[in-house]
Amino acid sequence: MTTLSPENSLSARLSASFILVKRKPPIDKTEWDGFFDENGQLAKSRDFICVNILERGLHPFVRTEAWKFLTGYYSWQSSRDERLTVDSTKRKNYEALCQMYEKIQPLLENLHRNFTETRNNIIHDIQKLYDKDPLGNVLIDKKRLEKILLLSYVCNTQAEYQQGFHEMVMLFQLMVEHEHEKGKGAGAVQSLFPWFCLCFQRAFKSFDDVWRLWEVLLTGKPCRNFQVLVAYSLLRMVREQVLQESMAGDDILMACNTLVDLDADELISAACLVYAELIQKDVPQPLKDFFL
């Protein structure tokens, strides 16, 4: 069997403890602020913070700032002044991008054969999006979301727009205050399979559960490619139905889509258990390398 590094052994123990111990209160604003020194630099290591996010999660008041570190918008080694510079630069770059888009939009409509179709698909998806909370309050600005998705496509026309991207980007829009803060986040969204993200968003009880899962995936804890173990844990929930009905392909996906009101902590815990079992077994090295 492969000898685990100290970091992997630590992750294994942490994943096991996550299963056995009730989750502690999430990291609140007071504790988060205590992670920084007088210059605004993190006095705690990235590993320490990510492990705590896995085990405990983030309070909603902390999530907006913490996710900027998790998505790479801010460097983990940055000072307060350096982050202010990042904000200023991102804002200017975004404003310049918006101005450029307004100038080249007519050219895109006439010369880029996929632009009009992509824009229509984005508009169609956004119009179907339910944008209100249970009390009827509007949650998002649909025109703003449309603009962000179009700009993302214009910046990288090789990455085709996929159905469901609008719902995933909406998670970031609900969290941040300014449009220019979603650059790194959009990249993180598209790095995972659209069906995987879309299924999870519709399966959970609340946005807080979705954010809870996302922030764990962004930490890279307890292992690389943890989203695969989460997806596997989801599939295990419909295992009996799949076997009884001899399902395959799209039928399995449809069965997963019937799962509703999932609890993020329970799903993360189940995936941590799978990880703990995996590293204790003599599995093929390629599979072990995929996670470890």
Side-chain angles (χ1 to χ4, degrees):
M1 289 184 63
T2 303
T3 301
L4 297 179
S5 67
E7 180 179 355
N8 288 328
S9 297
L10 173 62
S11 294
R13 293 197 301 272
L14 290 170
S15 64
S17 67
F18 182 93
I19 300 164
L20 299 174
V21 180
K22 184 178 180 180
R23 183 160 70 104
K24 300 175 183 177
I27 301 170
D28 61 19
K29 189 68 168 65
T30 301
E31 185 175 4
W32 175 258
D33 290 342
F35 290 163
F36 296 84
D37 63 20
E38 62 276 8
N39 295 317
Q41 288 183 301
L42 282 167
K44 297 291 186 180
S45 70
R46 176 178 181 174
D47 196 61
F48 172 87
I49 294 174
C50 287
V51 166
N52 271 273
I53 292 174
L54 166 67
E55 292 187 312
R56 302 165 52 196
L58 296 165
H59 189 280
F61 291 163
V62 175
R63 201 164 268 148
T64 296
E65 182 177 2
W67 274 48
K68 292 179 183 178
F69 288 92
L70 292 173
T71 59
Y73 182 89
Y74 289 150
S75 166
W76 289 88
Q77 291 76 39
S78 63
S79 66
R80 184 183 299 106
D81 289 342
E82 288 171 337
R83 292 194 291 277
L84 289 174
T85 300
V86 168
D87 284 333
S88 178
T89 301
K90 292 285 187 182
R91 186 179 296 106
K92 291 177 181 177
N93 290 344
Y94 184 78
E95 291 171 353
L97 177 61
C98 291
Q99 293 174 3
M100 179 199 72
Y101 173 71
E102 292 178 1
K103 292 179 180 179
I104 69 172
Q105 182 179 346
L107 291 175
L108 290 171
E109 292 174 347
N110 293 324
L111 301 178
H112 197 288
R113 59 189 181 92
N114 293 329
F115 176 78
T116 300
E117 179 183 356
T118 299
R119 182 178 60 183
N120 290 338
N121 288 338
I122 289 173
I123 293 173
H124 181 260
D125 284 346
I126 290 176
Q127 290 307 312
K128 295 189 300 182
L129 192 65
Y130 191 73
D131 62 345
K132 297 180 180 179
D133 65 14
L135 298 178
N137 301 311
V138 176
L139 292 171
I140 60 167
D141 183 338
K142 288 187 175 182
K143 294 302 294 183
R144 181 184 177 192
L145 181 58
E146 176 187 329
K147 178 182 176 182
I148 293 169
L149 288 166
L150 276 173
L151 287 174
S152 176
Y153 172 71
V154 169
C155 290
N156 186 11
T157 56
Q158 298 303 312
E160 297 182 0
Y161 171 79
Q162 300 289 333
Q163 186 180 23
F165 279 178
H166 64 299
E167 290 185 310
M168 292 181 281
V169 174
M170 181 181 69
L171 293 176
F172 289 85
Q173 183 175 339
L174 287 170
M175 188 182 304
V176 301
E177 182 179 358
H178 305 290
E179 293 180 29
H180 69 270
E181 297 174 344
K182 281 179 288 295
K184 289 284 187 178
V189 166
Q190 295 179 25
S191 69
L192 299 176
F193 295 113
W195 68 264
F196 171 77
C197 305
L198 188 60
C199 179
F200 279 128
Q201 178 156 328
R202 292 178 176 175
F204 283 121
K205 293 183 292 186
S206 67
F207 276 121
D208 192 65
D209 283 282
V210 183
W211 282 319
R212 168 71 176 131
L213 174 62
W214 269 95
E215 62 199 19
V216 169
L217 297 182
L218 290 171
T219 66
K221 301 295 181 182
C223 63
R224 295 188 298 124
N225 299 307
F226 186 58
Q227 70 274 8
V228 177
L229 299 182
V230 176
Y232 174 71
S233 300
L234 183 71
L235 287 172
R236 291 176 70 171
M237 297 181 186
V238 295
R239 180 178 182 274
E240 293 302 320
Q241 180 184 358
V242 169
L243 292 177
Q244 289 177 4
E245 301 179 21
S246 300
M247 291 182 176
D250 291 342
D251 290 335
I252 296 177
L253 178 57
M254 292 298 294
C256 290
N257 282 336
T258 63
L259 296 172
V260 294
D261 293 337
L262 294 181
D263 181 277
D265 278 322
E266 291 179 2
L267 188 59
I268 294 168
S269 179
C272 284
L273 178 59
V274 173
Y275 171 67
E277 294 172 347
L278 176 66
I279 63 175
Q280 295 300 323
K281 292 181 178 179
D282 190 11
V283 299
Q285 188 61 43
L287 178 61
K288 187 161 287 188
D289 289 341
F290 185 70
F291 294 106
L292 305 181

